[in-house]
Amino acid sequence: MKLLFWNSYHGFTRSPPEMEPPLQRRIRFVQWIQEQSPDIVALLEMKGFDADSLGTLAAHWGHGSHVLNAGEFPIALTCRDFIRHPICHHDRMVNGFLSVQAGSLPVFITHIPPARFCNRSEELRQLL
């Protein structure tokens, strides 16, 4: 089973100077994911995405199953197989966490922001 984990940096809508412009970065990302042919893709900072736009993006690499956490910088997961038992949590957390059963694999994803954006100790307590 092949799992890929990627930070989309503001949902591919912004890029700092050292990165490619957002549209080119998104196009190259989709091409790279297609080449890798992963079973599961975990995505961070999917700002601006909803279930439909995530589904459209995931279809580019052949994934028909997906889930998106709510929040300012949502966490997402796409899968070639069915996603079961999704648990999405972001209450009192900047990014929250996502827990699913992807095929036969239990998957837990979180994104702890830099200390200047949150109380990291509190974020970790929430996770526990």
Side-chain angles (χ1 to χ4, degrees):
M1 180 168 289
K2 191 173 199 178
L3 171 89
L4 291 176
F5 190 82
W6 194 267
N7 186 325
S8 72
Y9 191 76
H10 291 262
F12 301 102
T13 61
R14 293 177 46 194
S15 293
E18 65 274 10
M19 285 184 181
E20 291 179 307
L23 182 58
Q24 287 83 359
R25 195 164 49 85
R26 184 174 174 163
I27 290 168
R28 283 179 25 97
F29 168 74
V30 168
Q31 291 168 341
W32 183 76
I33 290 289
Q34 289 168 337
E35 292 167 9
Q36 302 306 308
S37 189
D39 299 293
I40 299 169
V41 176
L43 299 160
L44 301 179
E45 295 192 18
M46 295 300 285
K47 190 175 181 108
F49 278 78
D50 60 20
D52 290 336
S53 57
L54 177 61
T56 299
L57 183 67
H60 287 292
W61 54 80
H63 286 191
S65 192
H66 59 276
V67 64
L68 179 71
N69 197 7
E72 186 177 352
F73 289 94
I75 298 167
L77 185 126
T78 73
C79 188
R80 187 178 317 279
D81 203 347
F82 290 107
I83 294 174
R84 296 185 312 274
H85 314 296
I87 298 171
C88 300
H89 178 82
H90 70 279
D91 187 39
R92 298 187 332 258
M93 296 180 77
V94 174
N95 298 318
F97 66 82
L98 181 61
S99 175
V100 303
Q101 183 81 23
S104 62
L105 184 70
V107 179
F108 183 88
I109 307 163
T110 190
H111 182 203
I112 305 289
R116 69 177 190 248
F117 295 115
C118 75
N119 179 333
R120 295 183 104 190
S121 296
E122 182 57 34
E123 292 270 321
L124 292 171
R125 274 192 283 283
Q126 275 289 105
L127 288 171
L128 295 173

